[in-house]
Structures are given as C-alpha cells and as structure tokens.
Amino acid sequence: MVIGSGICGLTAARVLTEHFDTVTLLERDTLPDGDERRRGTPQARHVHGLLARGAGHLEDLFPGLRTELAQAGAPVYDHGAGARTRVWAGSLPTVTVGLEVQTAHRDALEGALRRRVAALEKVAVRDATAVTGLHVSEDGTRAEGVSVTPASGGSTEVIEADLVVDASGRNSALPDWLTAAGYPAPKETVVDGGLAYATRTVQVEREQPAQGLQQMNQPPDRPGGVYASHTGGGRWTVTLFGAGGQHPPVDDEGWLACAESLGNEDLDRLLEQSTPVSGVFQYKATANRWRAYAGMRRWPERLVALGDSATAFNPVFGQGMTIAVGQCVALGEALAARGGDPAGLGRQTQRMVARSARIPWLMATSDDLVWSYAMRGARLPLHWRATAWYKQRLLHLATRDPGVVKTFMRVYHMLASPAAMAAPRIMSRVLFAAKSPSPASAARPVAAPRGS
Ligand SMILES: Cc1cc2nc3c(=O)[nH]c(=O)nc-3n(C[C@H](O)[C@H](O)[C@H](O)COP(=O)(O)OP(=O)(O)OC[C@H]3O[C@@H](n4cnc5c(N)ncnc54)[C@H](O)[C@@H]3O)c2cc1C
C-alpha cells in the first residue's frame, strides 16, 4: 500500500508491482484524467527541474517516458549548451556538458506517470480517500494497514496491507499517526533559509536563445535569483526567488521590478517577448526538514516513509523528485534482496533512506545555514565559513573554466559526489588561483533599460 500519489507515491507503486500481487495507491485528492493541477501538490505550479539521475531512474522504471513527454512538447537539451546559468561571479561558459535534461512541466510529468501507473494491472488507485491513521499489530511491532475516510466525509474504514509506504509529502501526518499508535515522535531538524518563490507562467512570442535560465543567489549578500524553464510550445514557468526573508513581491509591478533588478539580460528579453498567462503565485514553505525516523528507538516493521514525508528540501537545487525516486529504487532493491518478503523491512530501510538523503541535505542546507545565521545577525561557525568561502571561489573559477562547469554539473545532477569538486586539479586552482572578488564586492550586473 502506498499513501499519496505525488511523484514519490507513483514511483513507489510502480516499484512495488515487482514484488506484490496488488498495490493499493491511496490519494486524498480526486485525481484528474489529464494533466490538470490539483490541491494536494500546490508546488506543481512552480518551476520543477528533474535532475539527470532522477530522469534516468524514471526512464528505467517507465521505459519510453522521455519520448512520450518529448512528443507532448517537453524540450530536451544539454544543460550546459541549452541553458544559461549565472552565479554571483558571472555567467558560466555555454558548453556541452553531456547531460541531457528534459523540462516537462511538473503537471505533465505527474500526469504521464499517473496514467502509466493506473494502467498497471496490479495497481488499484483509490482517490478521494484520505488516510487518517496507522494500524499496528496488537503487540505493536509491525504496521498492518491504515484507516481511511472518504475525502468528502463519511465513515472510517481500515485497509490492511503487508507493507505500508508513506509518500504523503512534506505535510505528512505520519509523526501523529505513530504517536497515536504508541510510538515516540521522530526528532525533527529544520533548516530554514527564509526562501520564497514567486512564479508566473508566460507565453513567449519569439524563440529564445536558451531553453532554461538559472541565476543562483549567493548568501549572505545576494538573496535573489531566477529559475525559468521552457516547458514546451512557448510556455515558460518563471520563478523568481529570494532567500534570507527577502521575498520577491507578488504584485505585477513589484514582480517585474524584482525581475529587472537581477540584471539578467536573458530574463529581460524573455519577459519583454512574452505575455503573462497566469498571475504570480507565492510559495513559502521551503524549509529543509529531516525527520529522523532511522534513529527512532522503536519503529514498526513493514512501514517505510519515503520522499518529502521523510526528508523535504529547499527546492532551489531541484533535488526533491530525484531523491524521492532514488529512495523508491532503493526500496525495490531492499525487497529484492529479501526475495520480495516485507517481513523485517522497516528500520533498516529507513536507514537506507536517510543515507540516500545525507549528501543532498548537505548541499541544500549549506547555503540555508548561512542565510539562517544572517537572518539572526549571528556569526557563522568557522567550518561553515570555510565551506562558503570554498564554494564562492569555486563558482568564480567555474565562470572561466569549462572543465569545472562539467564537474559542477555532474555533481548538481547527482551523478558525481560533491567530493569531485575538491579533486586535486580543482582544489589547487580554487585555493591558489589569483584572488577572486567576494560576492559583496563584485560589481552587480547592470540591467539594460527596458525596451532598449
Ligand atoms: C516550490 C517547490 C518547487 C520544487 N521544485 C523542485 C524541482 O525543481 N525539482 C525537484 O526535483 N523537486 C522539486 N520540488 C520538490 C518536489 O516537488 C518533491 O520533492 C517531489 O515531488 C516528491 O514529493 P512527494 O511525492 O514525496 O510528495 P508530494 O508531491 O507532496 O505528494 C504527496 C501526495 O500525498 C497526498 N496526500 C497527502 N496527505 C494524504 C493523506 N492523508 N491521505 C492520502 N493522500 C495524501 C497529496 O495529496 C499528494 O498527492 C519542489 C518543491 C517545492 C515546494
């Protein structure tokens, strides 16, 4: 049984069909037939990039997915050659990095996965059904199912299962369900960089030189950035973001002024040559949150929490879907190692889930810790200052060195360990290169006047 039919739940359901005769997928929302948006995944209107690692896993599990999305219009391009990326020190060189990305709209990706999962013989989708509690065995050692209520109200029913997978996202009520069933609550770590998104969809009238634009922010001096993506047919999702509590405005004028203040000519051109087809929508619940299920003294067998339910990330690095999908793959491997028997599956799997999220967590929280210290006016501990210093210089080097860009992109797409950024060839250049300016002192790019 899987709770939640977001990217994680859909992937988990697909993985479980290899080990169980019936997989019940429970979803609180009424699911659309097409790619329409729904309440349970409000993040879907904001820009979503799928990293190469996650895309590879999805293609393995759903062969032909990439072609299907491409036929529906989702662009495919080399991330280095087809997108423009800016960091605090300038633009990264436009070079082929050998990493193809596909920028399907998140609604389109989820819609395609949903149709494929619903078509699987072993999967029974029950939508408009809210899970309200966890059922455990009388001796309290294992999960045996969940209680559900129709989303429209009505009487509660218990559904039994050999394995319960919670994929109900960032707001999962699993900690409450566990305590109600007599288990302790998990420890939670939250790192909040005070980041918010402000997103609008635009229809572009002329072909753009790139399919994606990315301008990263840089703590603690440059809170703003943009992440814009062509999702096909001239539709672009344009997300402005601001960290450290400095959020982009959501009114038309303020949003445009904020876009202009980034001094990004590619973004200026895109907005000049496009028409808004949506209002501006804000998203503020972006804190990194780690629920330490793996460290709990007691944990029911046959229960696994995956995706945002266990570890939710600041979305700016685009890691969430890839991590969730990777955890589903790992669950499949754990089941395969047991010949498909879910007995004993639980804490050990949760440890594996935690391991898979550790490096992405470090990546996502390293900037956010700086922001959170800056917001409190506190001095950053020395080791974090050293990490931030190294990253700043590395990004400066990347603006001049295509080799560094390639390594950076492989790390970004989770195809290489961050240790690759400290390989001797790179580290020596970062440490001994001519002094690089600091983000605070570097000249900010000057925005071209509108209409020039
Ligand atoms: C603004 C924003 C931008 C993002 N951008 C990116 C990006 O660029 N790249 C990337 O990889 N990731 C991104 N993410 C993260 C990404 O959306 C998620 O990490 C990823 O989709 C995995 O989510 P999930 O399936 O675990 O949870 P969700 O997508 O939240 O799905 C949870 C599902 O569970 C259902 N549900 C909840 N409670 C119940 C219940 N009690 N009973 C039944 N059903 C229930 C919900 O309706 C929903 O369908 C972003 C996130 C945000 C917030």
Side-chain angles (χ1 to χ4, degrees):
M1 161 188 302
V2 179
I3 309 168
S5 70
I7 304 292
C8 183
L10 291 166
T11 311
R14 161 67 187 84
V15 164
L16 294 182
T17 56
E18 282 171 24
H19 305 283
F20 296 90
D21 293 334
T22 310
V23 179
T24 306
L25 181 56
L26 299 167
E27 169 56 49
R28 187 170 48 197
D29 281 353
T30 301
L31 293 172
D33 293 330
D35 298 341
E36 295 84 358
R37 187 146 311 136
R38 58 196 182 81
R39 273 186 63 190
T41 49
Q43 72 268 38
R45 66 169 83 249
H46 301 273
V47 76
H48 265 70
L50 179 61
L51 303 181
R53 185 183 180 87
H57 282 320
L58 283 179
E59 187 63 28
D60 289 345
L61 290 165
F62 301 95
L65 177 68
R66 174 172 285 225
T67 307
E68 180 186 333
L69 292 168
Q71 281 165 354
V76 178
Y77 54 91
D78 181 274
H79 193 168
R84 300 279 179 276
T85 305
R86 287 179 181 219
V87 297
W88 70 270
S91 296
L92 299 190
T94 308
V95 285
T96 301
V97 292
L99 288 171
E100 278 204 334
V101 290
Q102 183 172 47
T103 47
H105 195 281
R106 150 88 197 227
D107 289 331
L109 174 62
E110 195 178 299
L113 294 178
R114 189 166 53 238
R115 285 186 290 278
R116 281 169 175 252
V117 169
L120 296 171
E121 236 173 67
K122 292 180 177 176
V123 174
V125 180
R126 278 188 66 173
D127 64 349
T129 304
V131 173
T132 51
L134 181 71
H135 269 254
V136 296
S137 57
E138 262 177 33
D139 63 1
T141 57
R142 63 178 188 280
E144 289 190 333
V146 296
S147 44
V148 298
T149 333
S152 54
S155 49
T156 300
E157 171 197 352
V158 172
I159 306 181
E160 293 184 349
D162 294 325
L163 176 69
V164 176
V165 174
D166 179 38
S168 61
R170 191 178 265 272
N171 297 319
S172 163
L174 182 58
D176 298 337
W177 300 339
L178 282 167
T179 47
Y183 285 85
K187 268 208 246 152
E188 250 185 46
T189 305
V190 175
V191 178
D192 189 355
L195 176 100
Y197 275 18
T199 299
R200 119 172 303 164
T201 308
V202 300
Q203 179 68 34
V204 172
E205 287 134 20
R206 273 187 258 162
E207 199 169 318
Q208 299 297 304
Q211 305 279 350
L213 306 179
Q214 201 171 1
Q215 180 164 328
M216 297 177 181
N217 59 2
Q218 181 67 40
D221 309 295
R222 296 173 174 235
V226 62
Y227 191 178
S229 166
H230 181 206
T231 56
R235 278 286 149 110
W236 282 67
T237 310
V238 183
T239 293
L240 304 182
F241 55 86
Q246 300 184 55
H247 298 164
V250 290
D251 64 289
D252 280 355
E253 213 177 303
W255 189 85
L256 275 175
C258 178
E260 215 168 54
S261 74
L262 294 173
N264 184 318
E265 303 89 36
D266 294 311
L267 176 64
D268 290 342
R269 185 187 319 105
L270 177 82
L271 294 179
E272 267 166 26
Q273 297 179 354
S274 63
T275 315
V277 291
S278 81
V280 177
F281 295 93
Q282 189 180 54
Y283 201 101
K284 290 205 280 191
T286 60
N288 304 279
R289 204 209 46 230
W290 182 291
R291 287 180 169 156
Y293 290 132
M296 278 173 58
R297 257 184 310 112
R298 290 174 56 232
W299 178 262
E301 265 188 34
R302 297 174 182 244
L303 171 68
V304 179
L306 303 179
D308 283 13
S309 160
T311 46
F313 297 86
N314 163 354
V316 92
F317 294 104
Q319 305 181 109
M321 296 190 290
T322 293
I323 292 163
V325 168
Q327 291 174 348
C328 295
V329 170
L331 172 64
E333 287 166 359
L335 274 164
R338 295 163 178 276
D341 184 358
L345 207 72
R347 188 197 291 274
Q348 198 192 351
T349 315
Q350 221 50 56
R351 284 204 195 106
M352 197 176 63
V353 165
R355 261 199 308 278
S356 74
R358 211 160 279 151
I359 287 177
W361 174 264
L362 282 177
M363 281 174 72
T365 56
S366 59
D367 278 3
D368 283 343
L369 275 169
V370 184
W371 289 117
S372 69
Y373 273 76
M375 281 192 289
R376 284 181 278 133
R379 190 163 164 75
L380 203 63
L382 182 63
H383 61 285
W384 282 113
R385 287 210 300 278
T387 310
W389 177 86
Y390 189 89
K391 191 177 153 204
Q392 273 171 21
R393 292 186 55 118
L394 179 87
L395 291 176
H396 183 246
L397 184 61
T399 59
R400 293 172 293 145
D401 185 333
V404 174
V405 174
K406 285 184 188 170
T407 306
F408 175 76
M409 287 291 186
R410 289 191 64 74
V411 172
Y412 182 84
H413 281 273
M414 292 191 191
L415 295 172
S417 150
M421 310 250 242
R425 188 191 82 83
I426 294 182
M427 188 188 259
S428 60
R429 299 195 57 209
V430 169
L431 296 180
F432 303 115
K435 193 173 178 303
S436 70
S438 76
S441 66
R444 276 159 206 269
V446 178
R450 289 206 146 254
S452 66

